[in-house]
Amino acid sequence: MLIISILGACVGSFIAALFNRYKHHQSLSGRSQCDHCHHRLKWIDLIPIISFVLLAGKCRYCRQTISSFSTFIEINLLILYPLIYSIAHSISLLIIISILLYLSMQDMESMKVSNNPLLALLCFTIVHSNLLSIEIILPIYLSFSILNQRLSMVGQADIDILCILYLMFSTAILYIIIIACVYALIYFFINRFRVHYIPFVPYIYLAVLTFLCIQK
């Protein structure tokens, strides 16, 4: 489990870096650099969690405070990876959880998600599906997409993600939808109806985690 935990922290570091570049509209190529002084970071500055602790949360070069966001994501997956793996013993599921986390971050940031992570999610879920599952979900997906274009009930990405997850969870996706709706309603009530739009992908992510834990 130690290796799985380390893998989770490394994936968390990658996701945080990817999201930071997405957020600031930066190219995915090139080495990581300090957000303040833009000094290129060495490998010793990029060790998940450990580098942040050793540097006391400050850049080695300009001594400005480093955002703890990346470390938070690293710790998140450091804990989640062994937990999920102990339940399902599936590396594919760990990757799916990671992609959902990234999509959740995008949805919270801009109320939209990128096509590439959606395609990656489809690739990893389709491995666990069969022809019958695809035949069942395809007409449902097309029907809901057409209906949503006319009524704008939810974000199209929400429909995409839920239909993709059906390939992994089959009819259990109904439980995931119910749990996600409960979480979203709780958020809605806590904010006293002041919010007009709710990013739903984070609640799908939390619902999947909840469902997996309940199953155990």
Side-chain angles (χ1 to χ4, degrees):
M1 284 300 176
L2 177 60
I3 295 177
I4 298 296
S5 297
I6 295 173
L7 176 62
C10 292
V11 173
S13 178
F14 173 75
I15 289 176
L18 198 64
F19 176 73
N20 188 58
R21 296 193 180 199
Y22 163 81
K23 181 178 178 180
H24 295 96
H25 307 287
Q26 297 174 343
S27 171
L28 299 181
S29 60
R31 292 176 57 182
S32 297
Q33 58 185 13
C34 172
D35 293 333
H36 302 286
C37 65
H38 304 294
H39 192 287
R40 286 188 176 183
L41 303 180
K42 299 178 180 179
W43 67 268
I44 197 170
D45 304 317
L46 300 172
I47 303 173
I49 303 174
I50 296 175
S51 291
F52 184 85
V53 174
L54 293 179
L55 292 171
K58 295 183 182 297
C59 173
R60 182 189 302 275
Y61 310 100
C62 67
R63 305 309 299 169
Q64 291 291 321
T65 301
I66 303 171
S67 171
S68 59
F69 172 77
S70 178
T71 305
F72 173 77
I73 299 299
E74 292 162 8
I75 294 174
N76 186 296
L77 291 189
L78 174 77
I79 297 171
L80 279 180
Y81 260 44
L83 175 62
I84 300 302
Y85 190 77
S86 67
I87 296 172
H89 299 285
S90 170
I91 295 295
S92 292
L93 184 57
L94 296 181
I95 296 173
I96 289 169
I97 293 296
S98 303
I99 296 173
L100 283 176
L101 174 59
Y102 178 72
L103 290 170
S104 298
M105 292 156 57
Q106 281 194 332
D107 198 24
M108 288 189 292
E109 172 65 25
S110 59
M111 295 291 290
K112 62 182 180 180
V113 301
S114 304
N115 290 327
N116 288 340
L118 275 178
L119 181 60
L121 183 65
L122 175 61
C123 292
F124 281 103
T125 52
I126 208 168
V127 172
H128 298 273
S129 66
N130 52 53
L131 184 59
L132 179 60
S133 298
I134 297 174
E135 290 175 347
I136 291 174
I137 200 59
L138 188 57
I140 295 175
Y141 171 74
L142 293 174
S143 299
F144 271 100
S145 295
I146 293 172
L147 185 63
N148 192 54
Q149 285 183 349
R150 296 183 178 181
L151 302 179
S152 298
M153 300 178 292
V154 296
Q156 181 60 40
D158 302 332
I159 297 175
D160 295 342
I161 292 170
L162 289 172
C163 288
I164 290 173
L165 290 179
Y166 171 83
L167 299 175
M168 180 77 180
F169 296 100
S170 188
T171 54
I173 193 65
L174 296 175
Y175 296 108
I176 292 173
I177 293 173
I178 292 171
I179 297 170
C181 288
V182 170
Y183 284 148
L185 284 173
I186 292 173
Y187 174 80
F188 187 67
F189 287 132
I190 289 175
N191 285 273
R192 300 179 185 275
F193 309 98
R194 289 194 296 266
V195 292
H196 299 287
Y197 300 99
I198 298 177
F200 195 60
V201 179
Y203 300 108
I204 297 175
Y205 168 71
L206 292 175
V208 170
L209 294 179
T210 303
F211 175 75
L212 291 172
C213 292
I214 291 173
Q215 270 207 319
K216 182 179 179 182

